[in-house]
Amino acid sequence: AEMAAARLSGAENRLVSLPLSRIRVIMKSSPEVSSINQDALFLTAKATELFVQYLATYSYKHGRGKEKNALTYTDLSHTAEECETFQFLADILPKKILASKYLKMLEKEKRDGEVREDDEEAEEEEDEDE
């Protein structure tokens, strides 16, 4: 009954901070989704909001935020890396590294990749000989 009352009064927009229209667009971007029930949209928005709050609070409490009285990107990326609950965010919240260090990593990956490709070709040639 509360949800119906909220829908009639338009109050649900005040119950969530995130814009429902944006969340609808994101949900519709999935090919499996054809229509979105208003309650499902609202609940998704509220769940997302609560999740972001939890992530921010956890990161603040377990990071250096308390010292600086601020929540930093480093706190968030540390949480994604260290806390099992948030590890699925590690790709979205990677640790910040210097560009020079990143370029060195890319070069190393490229060299390692070339070595592996050469190994595979050598194995294929051996198979043909047998």
Side-chain angles (χ1 to χ4, degrees):
E2 275 183 55
M3 288 297 269
R7 197 176 314 125
L8 291 173
S9 66
E12 73 183 9
N13 288 328
R14 282 176 260 134
L15 295 173
V16 289
S17 302
L18 298 171
L20 295 180
S21 58
R22 290 284 174 94
I23 291 176
R24 180 183 279 112
V25 168
I26 293 167
M27 290 171 77
K28 282 215 172 220
S29 71
S30 175
E32 298 91 48
V33 175
S34 55
S35 66
I36 298 161
N37 173 305
Q38 196 62 25
D39 288 343
L41 175 64
F42 172 76
L43 291 172
T44 300
K46 194 64 188 173
T48 303
E49 194 174 295
L50 292 170
F51 173 77
V52 171
Q53 259 178 352
Y54 178 56
L55 171 63
T57 304
Y58 185 97
S59 299
Y60 180 82
K61 284 180 181 171
H62 294 84
R64 292 194 316 236
K66 286 184 287 188
E67 299 164 20
K68 300 177 185 176
N69 201 25
L71 176 62
T72 65
Y73 179 88
T74 305
D75 295 331
L76 292 168
S77 69
H78 186 262
T79 295
E81 188 180 35
E82 299 297 323
C83 177
E84 200 174 325
T85 305
F86 296 110
Q87 278 180 351
F88 73 98
L89 294 172
D91 292 345
I92 298 166
L93 292 167
K95 259 187 163 173
K96 280 188 178 178
I97 61 170
L98 294 172
S100 56
K101 196 172 181 182
Y102 180 69
L103 291 171
K104 282 180 187 170
M105 281 171 46
L106 285 179
E107 277 300 311
K108 185 181 181 324
E109 282 178 19
K110 190 177 175 187
R111 282 195 308 271
D112 291 351
E114 286 170 5
V115 169
R116 275 194 220 104
E117 285 170 18
D118 292 345
D119 290 347
E120 287 172 13
E121 287 171 17
E123 287 172 17
E124 286 171 14
E125 287 168 14
E126 287 171 19
D127 291 343
E128 289 171 12
D129 294 341
E130 288 175 8

